[in-house]
Amino acid sequence: TGLQIGTLETPSGVWIRPSTADGLVYVEGRWYRGPVQLISQSDGLLAVNHTDVETYLYSVVGAEMPASWPTEALKAQAIAARSYAVVHISRPASDYYDLGSTTRWQAYPGAETETNTTHLAVNETRGMLLSYQGGVVESLYASSEQLVKEAHGGFGMSQEGANQLAQQNFNFQQILGRFYPGTSLAVLNIK
């Protein structure tokens, strides 16, 4: 019904916060940016990392696509992942968190998949979303064209396709336009 740490007892959980603004928290073999809430549940503890979307994307982009791929492919991935996240934040995965950490949602292994290239892709597309008729697109994607067909009925971005287009000097807008026809880019400003 609660947690006990030494002589301290809590009714349902505790917060673990990094000691500095850019610090990390270690949970089950992985480092995460931002505070982690440990919640007592009947079958054990649930660890929930609380972070903003842009910081979350530093990890997601590197987990979903090789960070060594061209910057324009990484930017397309950042926008697709941001759009997907924003759609799902509006309909949370659970009472405790907005997005899960598995590939069902978007792969989120924490800081281990962050690189200078994923930071660059996220920072250079900060706030950009895919939009259709004023709404945010649930921008589905998968690693290959075949998986896009199987999992999403042919709608969505093939990450391998994005890589190939970037290698042909397509920019991220052209890449997204190829996979999400009829959409446009919008910018979400959160203050």
Side-chain angles (χ1 to χ4, degrees):
T1 59
L3 295 175
Q4 183 171 350
I5 302 169
T7 58
L8 173 68
E9 290 188 35
T10 67
S12 61
V14 296
W15 286 87
I16 301 171
R17 298 183 190 280
S19 58
T20 63
D22 60 345
L24 303 171
V25 175
Y26 191 72
V27 179
E28 292 191 330
R30 293 187 173 165
W31 291 97
Y32 293 91
R33 292 193 183 282
V36 172
Q37 183 181 19
L38 295 178
I39 302 167
S40 176
Q41 297 189 311
S42 60
D43 60 346
L45 292 176
L46 173 66
V48 179
N49 181 211
H50 291 259
T51 189
D52 64 80
V53 171
E54 302 301 315
T55 302
Y56 163 79
L57 290 173
Y58 293 149
S59 171
V60 170
V61 171
E64 290 286 354
M65 181 179 277
S68 61
W69 282 6
T71 302
E72 295 303 308
L74 294 173
K75 288 178 183 179
Q77 179 64 54
I79 294 167
R82 184 181 296 107
S83 300
Y84 185 91
V86 167
V87 166
H88 284 277
I89 287 169
S90 69
R91 51 179 193 222
S94 126
D95 289 339
Y96 301 110
Y97 52 87
D98 296 327
L99 296 157
S101 61
T102 67
T103 54
R104 158 44 184 112
W105 303 99
Q106 295 187 112
Y108 178 65
E112 72 184 50
T113 56
E114 293 182 22
T115 68
N116 60 338
T117 59
T118 66
H119 281 246
L120 178 71
V122 171
N123 292 340
E124 289 191 0
T125 63
R126 183 165 298 279
M128 290 183 190
L129 301 166
L130 283 169
S131 178
Y132 180 74
Q133 296 182 350
V136 179
V137 174
E138 181 182 14
S139 47
L140 304 172
Y141 56 86
S143 62
S144 68
E145 197 69 41
Q146 182 63 34
L147 283 174
V148 169
K149 286 178 186 171
E150 291 172 11
H152 309 305
F155 181 76
M157 183 174 71
S158 157
Q159 294 160 316
E160 292 171 359
N163 178 35
Q164 292 167 358
L165 291 172
Q167 289 179 18
Q168 296 170 33
N169 295 320
F170 281 61
N171 65 35
F172 70 91
Q173 296 101 324
Q174 294 167 318
I175 293 168
L176 292 169
R178 181 71 62 96
F179 293 109
Y180 305 101
T183 64
S184 60
L185 288 177
V187 177
L188 177 66
N189 288 316
I190 300 175
K191 296 187 184 203

